[in-house]
Amino acid sequence: MDNRLFVAYKPSGMVSNHFLSRIKRRYTVKKAGFSGTLDPFAQGVLIIAFGQFTKLFRFLKKAPKTYRATLWIGASSPTLDIEKIEKVEQMMPFHPDSVTFVLKSMMGEMTYLPPKYSAKKVEGARAYDLARADKDFELKAITSTIYDCHLIHYAHPFLTFEITISEGGYVRSIGALIAQKLGFSGSLSALERLNEGDFTYENEKELNPLDYLDLPTNDYLGDSHDILLGRKLSVENFKKQEEGIYQIVIDEVLSVVEISANGVEYLLNSLSLKA
């Protein structure tokens, strides 16, 4: 079990790093990592890798991501979730058609501010550390693509919706924007990540990394030992010579190379895929 890739399900109320420590103890492994931090109050899909497979995270099909969220309309919190509810406004229930209209209006490309309680870095410091220290700072707006946003259930003042969003999106901010369009503040009372790209939870089943790489394949027409031994490579020896990042598999050994105007560069060299 030196190398392994699988999907775990993080429970609510646990920091992602603490959940990873629990996974490492259960599988008795020393080197492990995860991709896509979940907020402590959130639950759901977390991609886990052991050993050398931790090098694969940046090459995996991890987007778009789908979440199921419950928005507490009228609840104000600086964290945009239930961690620090400061005030709750009362209002009459909304017509279901109004709720559906607002959710549909969120679809498409959207520019917005990330939550101040987030892992975004500001001059080297994490935003949530600055926020907890009551420091004044500004975050840069980000742009996300929302592919789908639809109603699951509405029991006033709680609105449950599912959203499919591009990499790096913040559902807490989207929830606050939905509440704002309804004329009130709002914070998430629950958040579950259902999938990250092609990754879904299947009882921690071991996955074949080749099925999840977000890279086109290429063939090396020269001596295979050039790649296996990490020698300098020539563009002319590749079947596909267009600029781009490619996966090369030789005898169950994976390498990732980038072809550019400057030549060929290894991004990952000779990772064994054998169990």
Side-chain angles (χ1 to χ4, degrees):
M1 201 176 290
D2 289 341
N3 296 333
R4 180 185 172 100
L5 179 70
F6 64 98
V7 175
Y9 191 94
K10 187 191 88 67
S12 178
M14 184 178 294
V15 175
S16 295
N17 280 318
H18 293 171
F19 179 63
L20 179 65
S21 297
R22 178 181 293 185
I23 291 282
K24 289 168 68 176
R25 287 195 298 271
R26 176 147 54 88
Y27 283 95
T28 61
V29 297
K30 292 183 178 180
K31 184 176 182 180
F34 63 86
S35 177
T37 301
L38 279 171
D39 295 326
F41 93 104
Q43 62 189 47
V45 163
L46 196 66
I47 304 171
I48 305 287
F50 294 162
Q52 296 300 305
F53 281 6
T54 55
K55 298 178 180 179
L56 296 173
F57 285 137
R58 65 180 177 137
F59 305 119
L60 298 175
K61 301 172 186 174
K62 299 179 295 181
K65 306 183 182 189
T66 302
Y67 296 84
R68 178 171 292 185
T70 298
L71 174 64
W72 184 357
I73 305 169
S76 299
S77 167
T79 62
L80 304 183
D81 60 33
I82 56 173
E83 183 182 343
K84 293 180 178 290
I85 299 294
E86 296 177 340
K87 183 177 68 173
V88 177
E89 300 174 83
Q90 303 294 325
M91 79 289 296
M92 295 293 292
F94 302 98
H95 192 285
D97 289 347
S98 299
V99 173
T100 300
F101 176 81
V102 167
L103 292 177
K104 285 185 176 180
S105 73
M106 306 302 292
M107 292 171 58
E109 196 171 87
M110 176 172 294
T111 300
Y112 59 95
L113 291 175
K116 287 211 165 183
Y117 285 81
S118 68
K120 282 285 187 184
K121 283 194 172 182
V122 181
E123 297 181 355
R126 297 290 184 185
Y128 52 66
D129 288 330
L130 297 174
R132 287 169 183 151
D134 291 326
K135 301 287 187 181
D136 289 327
F137 65 97
E138 296 294 331
L139 288 171
K140 294 181 180 179
I142 62 171
T143 299
S144 298
T145 300
I146 299 174
Y147 301 97
D148 185 40
C149 187
H150 63 271
L151 179 66
I152 298 297
H153 183 66
Y154 173 45
H156 189 72
F158 296 99
L159 186 166
T160 299
F161 63 98
E162 277 189 15
I163 183 170
T164 301
I165 192 169
S166 57
E167 182 84 18
Y170 286 92
V171 182
R172 284 180 292 148
S173 291
I174 300 299
L177 290 172
I178 291 170
Q180 184 180 339
K181 286 197 171 191
L182 291 169
F184 295 89
S185 57
S187 302
L188 296 190
S189 63
L191 180 63
E192 178 185 16
R193 185 157 64 200
L194 304 178
N195 72 273
E196 285 197 77
D198 293 342
F199 291 89
T200 58
Y201 178 65
E202 297 181 79
N203 296 314
E204 300 183 8
K205 180 181 76 174
E206 187 170 357
L207 304 175
N208 181 352
L210 295 181
D211 294 335
Y212 295 87
L213 290 178
D214 193 19
L215 297 172
T217 59
N218 204 340
D219 294 319
Y220 185 71
L221 306 179
D223 185 346
S224 62
H225 288 90
D226 291 344
I227 288 185
L228 296 176
L229 297 176
R231 295 169 179 160
K232 187 174 181 180
L233 304 175
S234 173
V235 175
E236 289 72 25
N237 284 328
F238 286 90
K239 184 175 181 179
K240 299 175 184 176
Q241 299 179 8
E242 298 83 5
E243 293 188 5
I245 299 175
Y246 299 95
Q247 58 169 301
I248 312 290
V249 180
I250 302 172
D251 297 332
E252 294 189 73
V253 175
L254 170 69
S255 294
V256 177
V257 299
E258 181 176 13
I259 296 177
S260 69
N262 297 320
V264 183
E265 178 185 357
Y266 289 103
L267 300 183
L268 176 67
N269 184 234
S270 298
L271 174 60
S272 176
L273 299 171
K274 295 179 181 178

